[in-house]
Amino acid sequence: QVQLVESGGGLVQPGGSMKLSCSASGFTLDYYAIGWFRQAPGKEREGVSCISSNSDTGSANYDDSVKGRFTISRDDAKNTVYLQMNSLKPEDTAVYYCAAVPWRCTPTSHAYDHWGQGTQVTVSS
């Protein structure tokens, strides 16, 4: 069964850090780019970050709202992608999803083949 599972969400104070994991089962991430998306209540889903497959460039990109604070990385041996989130702000509060698309990143969320169930991140004092 092809599956992506996010973990690592929870409650954190403003200025704190949190690391999300996206683990794949039923398929290998080697040839997939992995994107992180988020959706806050009452808002549309938005792209946060993406990392291309190592078979492509392995490069990462970030939305301006998280640039310099979030870092995406991948460990293909563990079939897992991570999102390190630092200097968290209340506006980062959302359900975070990871998704897989072949080869390289695209901002078009409909192009992503596989999605996780999401993990809640709440930034609040």
Side-chain angles (χ1 to χ4, degrees):
Q1 181 181 2
V2 172
Q3 199 173 13
L4 287 173
V5 178
E6 304 94 338
S7 61
L11 174 65
V12 64
Q13 292 187 341
S17 297
M18 183 174 284
K19 187 173 185 178
L20 304 182
S21 299
C22 172
S23 298
S25 60
F27 72 109
T28 178
L29 292 181
D30 290 24
Y31 302 105
Y32 283 86
I34 301 298
W36 283 97
F37 297 80
R38 66 186 179 186
Q39 187 166 21
K43 295 188 176 181
E44 292 189 354
R45 183 173 56 195
E46 62 178 359
V48 174
S49 179
C50 187
I51 187 165
S52 289
S53 69
N54 285 329
S55 300
D56 185 48
T57 64
S59 61
N61 59 63
Y62 302 91
D63 184 78
D64 285 346
S65 64
V66 305
K67 202 170 291 183
R69 299 188 297 122
F70 289 13
T71 303
I72 191 171
S73 62
R74 63 189 301 150
D75 185 340
D76 286 349
K78 294 184 177 180
N79 227 24
T80 301
V81 171
Y82 305 97
L83 186 68
Q84 177 67 46
M85 306 185 294
N86 298 329
S87 302
L88 283 161
K89 306 175 181 180
E91 50 264 43
D92 294 318
T93 295
V95 178
Y96 283 70
Y97 301 89
C98 64
V101 63
W103 296 110
R104 63 185 55 143
C105 297
T106 172
T108 307
S109 60
H110 297 307
Y112 287 76
D113 295 327
H114 309 299
W115 289 81
Q117 82 290 346
T119 185
Q120 176 70 47
V121 173
T122 302
V123 184
S124 174
S125 54

